[in-house]
Amino acid sequence: MTLVTAAAVSESGSATVLEYRNVRKLYGAFVALNDVSMEVKRGQVVCLIGPSGSGKSTLLRCTNALETIDGGEILFDGVPLPKDKAAIRKVRQRMGMVFQNFELFPHKTAVENITMGPSTVLGLSDEAARERAQVLLKKVGLADKANNYPANLSGGQQQRVAIARALAMEPEVMLFDEPTSALDPETIGEVLNVMKALADDGMTMIVVTHEMTFARRVADHVVVFERGEIIEQGPPQQIFEAPLVARTRDFLSHLGWNA
Amino acid sequence: MNLDWSIIPASAGALAQGALITIALTVLTMAIAVPCGIVVALLRESRFTPVAFLATCFVELFRNLPIILVVYWAFYVMPVVLDLSFSPFVTGLVALCLNNTAYNSETFRSGIRSIRKGQTEAALAMGMSEGEAFRKIVLPQAWRRVLPVLATTWVTLFKDTSLVSVIAVGDLAHTAMQIRSQTFRVIEMLTAMAAIYWLLGYPQAKLADWIHKKFGVTE
C-alpha cells in the first residue's frame, strides 16, 4: 500500500535531510543532551533507542523546535533551524509528528482531525482537505471510522488516525515519539504495520521506540542513547548482533534481547 | 392578619417590567463578562509579568469584594474619582460586570490549564501559530469544560442582580420594594417577589443541571 501521497522531495534535493552537530540541551543544571551528532538521509528510517530519560524524545522535540537547543546546530535540508516564529512554522509544516499519547483533538472527529492541518495551515479548501483525509484514512485502514470521535476509537485506531493527520501535511520527515508505548499489546501491531508500510514507501522517519523487533527489522540506522549522549550508532545488524559498546549490550540484554 | 392580594395583579405591569430589567441585566452582564473573562484569563497567563500582575490584581480585588460594595462604589465613588457617571442601570451593569469578569476569568483559566500541553504541541507541530492553536484547539475544549461552571455562575448572577436595587435600578427587587413602601403590602409584595424570582430561576437551574450532565468532564 502506498501511504505517501506526494513525493517527499526536498527543496534542495540533497541526500541529508537532517544533520545534528554537537547538539546540547539543558534543563536547568540537568544535561538532557550532550554533544549529540548524527545524520538522517533521505528515505532512511532511523530508530533512537535507549533507556527512559536518555534524551531520545528530547532530541525529537528539538528537531521540530518544540524545544530549543542550548548548543550545537540542527540543520534541516542544509539550513539551521530558524529562530523566527514564522520560519519555524514553515519548517514544522514539512515535518510530521506522532506523539506517545496520540494527542488527537477530542472535540473533532477522525476526519476533522486530519483536515485541520491542511485547511488551517496549508489553506486547502474544505473539499480538497476532506478528500485528502479520506484517502489517508483508507490507507491506515480506518475509512469506516471517519466520523468517529477519538473517544470512540481504540488506542491503536487513534494512533493510526494521528499518523494520517501528520501525513496530511505531506511532510518530508516523520517524527515518531514512542508511538506504541501507550498502546495495549494487541493493538501495537496494527500501528507498527502502518509505520512499516510508510517506511517501505520511502518516507524518511525518525522513530523513538522501545520496540526492538521493529527497530531490527525496519531501521536503516540505529542510534543508542544513554544519559543524554549517543553511546553507539550504526546499522541494525551491528547494534543488535555485534554491538561495539558493552553498554549497548547491557541495555539490550535488560530488554531480554541477546546479541 | 389583613392580606390584600389584589395588589399583585394591580402591579403586574410594573413587576413584569422589573423582571425584564433583571433578565436584561443578567444577559448583558454575561454577554460582557464572558469575553472579558477570557481576555483577563489570557492576560494573567501572559509572559509579560507586569501585565500578568495587573490582571491578577484586578481578579483578586473584585473577587474578594462584596458585590453590593462594588455597586455602591460604582454609584458614589466612580463619578467622583474617575469622572464617569452613567444611568443607574449602566452603573449597576458595570458593577456586576467587574465582579463577574473576575469570576469568569478564574473559571476560564482553570479550564484552559486543564487542557494537556500535548494538545497545543500537536497543533504547533503541524505548523499552526500559537494563536491558532489556542483558538482552534485549546479554547473549544476549555469552553466545553467550563460550560457547567458558567451555567452555575449564571444562576447565581440572576439572583445577585437584585443587589443593584440599592442604587434604584428599576429591576424586579427594586420595583417590588417600591410598591411595598407605597402600599405597605409587605407580605404580599415579598411573596410575589419570591414567587417571580423562583419561577424564573428554577428553569435556569434545571437548565444548568442539564448542562452539567451533558458537558460534565468526559475523556
Side-chain angles (χ1 to χ4, degrees):
Chain A
M1 76 182 171
T2 331
L3 278 165
V4 189
T5 40
V9 189
S10 88
E11 285 176 4
S12 73
S14 102
T16 302
V17 186
L18 278 159
E19 189 180 347
Y20 302 79
R21 286 184 191 157
N22 315 102
V23 172
R24 189 173 167 81
K25 169 74 188 170
L26 305 170
Y27 291 111
F30 178 73
V31 183
L33 292 173
N34 189 28
D35 203 22
V36 168
S37 296
M38 57 178 256
E39 230 182 73
V40 180
K41 294 203 162 59
R42 194 156 305 285
Q44 251 189 349
V45 176
V46 175
C47 283
L48 312 184
I49 66 172
S52 296
S54 59
K56 317 175 294 282
S57 292
T58 304
L59 188 72
L60 208 62
R61 293 166 57 80
C62 289
T63 306
N64 67 353
L66 284 180
E67 305 275 353
T68 51
I69 56 175
D70 298 297
E73 264 189 320
I74 299 177
L75 286 87
F76 176 49
D77 211 7
V79 184
L81 287 184
K83 300 253 184 292
D84 170 62
K85 281 189 175 186
I88 286 174
R89 286 208 295 277
K90 288 277 174 222
V91 166
R92 284 178 180 152
Q93 289 168 29
R94 297 166 62 194
M95 302 182 185
M97 189 161 194
V98 174
F99 298 84
Q100 182 175 350
N101 294 317
F102 329 134
E103 300 299 353
L104 287 183
F105 306 132
H107 60 304
K108 301 277 173 192
T109 61
V111 69
E112 288 167 349
N113 262 276
I114 302 171
T115 56
M116 193 91 195
S119 58
T120 309
V121 179
L122 302 179
L124 246 67
S125 71
D126 284 356
E127 208 173 309
R130 233 180 153 75
E131 206 167 299
R132 188 183 284 193
Q134 294 291 359
V135 171
L136 286 165
L137 272 173
K138 200 167 164 215
K139 283 175 174 170
V140 297
L142 293 170
D144 55 329
K145 305 285 185 194
N147 296 316
N148 281 39
Y149 282 92
N152 298 321
L153 295 172
S154 74
Q157 291 170 336
Q158 287 188 54
Q159 195 60 301
R160 284 189 281 157
V161 173
I163 293 172
R165 178 177 70 176
L167 290 174
M169 297 293 292
E170 302 190 333
E172 291 163 48
V173 188
M174 285 285 284
L175 311 173
F176 291 87
D177 189 5
E178 299 199 27
T180 59
S181 295
L183 293 176
D184 294 329
E186 66 266 29
T187 65
I188 291 178
E190 63 193 56
V191 172
L192 292 180
N193 285 341
V194 168
M195 291 168 61
K196 170 85 168 59
L198 200 52
D200 291 344
D201 268 0
M203 175 61 84
T204 311
M205 296 162 57
I206 307 181
V207 186
V208 173
T209 187
H210 293 292
E211 294 293 326
M212 294 305 143
T213 318
F214 176 82
R216 173 76 186 82
R217 267 178 53 225
V218 181
D220 298 298
H221 189 77
V222 178
V223 184
V224 189
F225 279 77
E226 193 185 80
R227 295 180 193 192
E229 296 185 350
I230 293 176
I231 55 170
E232 181 171 0
Q233 54 181 317
Q237 294 79 1
Q238 172 195 325
I239 303 295
F240 291 103
E241 279 154 39
L244 305 173
V245 178
R247 284 182 295 164
T248 302
R249 192 169 328 179
D250 290 347
F251 166 67
L252 290 171
S253 69
H254 273 303
L255 297 177
W257 188 285
N258 291 304
Chain B
M1 210 180 338
N2 173 21
L3 293 176
D4 179 7
W5 293 101
S6 67
I7 186 69
I8 311 294
S11 353
L15 289 173
Q17 202 187 349
L20 273 180
I21 290 180
T22 289
I23 292 168
L25 266 176
T26 312
V27 172
L28 284 173
T29 300
M30 264 327 220
I32 295 168
V34 164
C36 287
I38 297 177
V39 170
V40 173
L42 287 177
L43 293 178
R44 270 196 92 173
E45 298 287 306
S46 164
R47 265 164 277 180
F48 190 53
T49 1
V51 170
F53 177 74
L54 285 177
T56 305
C57 289
F58 172 85
V59 171
E60 294 304 348
L61 178 64
F62 287 106
R63 199 164 65 130
N64 295 301
L65 285 178
I67 299 182
I68 195 159
L69 182 67
V70 181
V71 172
Y72 276 128
W73 182 86
F75 191 70
Y76 291 111
V77 184
M78 193 170 68
V80 180
V81 175
L82 301 177
D83 199 21
L84 284 171
S85 83
F86 306 114
S87 68
F89 180 85
V90 176
T91 307
L93 185 64
V94 167
L96 290 173
C97 283
L98 288 172
N99 175 271
N100 259 265
T101 297
Y103 269 101
N104 289 344
S105 85
E106 284 303 275
T107 304
F108 276 107
R109 206 162 67 101
S110 65
I112 290 163
R113 286 196 159 189
S114 76
I115 307 302
R116 277 199 313 267
K117 204 164 158 261
Q119 288 284 304
T120 304
E121 289 180 346
L124 294 180
M126 57 173 64
M128 283 192 205
S129 68
E130 282 178 39
E132 285 169 335
F134 179 76
R135 281 198 314 277
K136 299 202 174 237
I137 306 303
V138 177
L139 194 57
Q141 293 183 60
W143 183 255
R144 236 183 123 89
R145 288 199 190 174
V146 302
L147 207 54
V149 185
L150 288 179
T152 307
T153 306
W154 175 287
V155 173
T156 308
L157 171 67
F158 177 73
K159 293 174 289 179
D160 283 350
T161 54
S162 60
L163 292 167
V164 303
S165 63
V166 297
I167 55 167
V169 177
D171 71 312
L172 178 56
H174 183 256
T175 308
M177 294 304 184
Q178 287 289 101
I179 300 169
R180 182 203 62 174
S181 53
Q182 285 155 11
T183 61
F184 306 109
R185 290 289 159 204
V186 179
I187 295 176
E188 294 88 333
M189 281 322 292
L190 287 181
T191 309
M193 194 175 144
I196 297 170
Y197 268 111
W198 190 88
L199 284 173
L200 290 173
Y202 183 73
Q204 296 179 42
K206 284 291 119 186
L207 185 66
D209 285 349
W210 178 80
I211 290 171
H212 271 269
K213 237 190 248 159
K214 180 138 199 316
F215 295 99
V217 174
T218 50
E219 204 176 349

